[in-house]
Amino acid sequence: MSPGSRASTPRCFSRLSESWSYPRGTSQDCPDWGAAVKKDLSVRISHCLACGSIKPRDRAAAQVIFVGNGE
């Protein structure tokens, strides 16, 4: 590649981005029970009334993505 030329996206990343889709609604689900836990964006704690789980909203959303409930 010549100096100043723009690098292209590596093949491994381009294939990953083609097959990956952003999971939506992950912060609206309970990661432990799977129940819908509707809340406004200003609410930063996820509290599931179905199972009693209480955890930070971002951690709960990450857990939903990790276990695959967000699809």
Side-chain angles (χ1 to χ4, degrees):
M1 185 166 19
S2 63
S5 66
R6 192 167 187 185
S8 63
T9 304
R11 290 183 120 175
C12 60
F13 291 122
S14 64
R15 277 187 262 135
L16 176 65
S17 65
E18 290 170 5
S19 63
W20 186 80
S21 63
Y22 181 78
R24 299 191 180 273
T26 56
S27 66
Q28 301 292 317
D29 295 334
C30 173
D32 300 322
W33 188 254
V37 183
K38 299 296 180 190
K39 60 186 102 34
D40 291 330
L41 282 174
S42 62
V43 177
R44 303 310 307 160
I45 301 293
S46 179
H47 181 198
C48 178
L49 298 176
C51 72
S53 172
I54 300 173
K55 54 185 73 178
R57 180 185 187 134
D58 294 338
R59 181 175 296 229
Q63 189 176 344
V64 168
I65 292 169
F66 183 73
V67 298
N69 290 342
E71 294 296 319

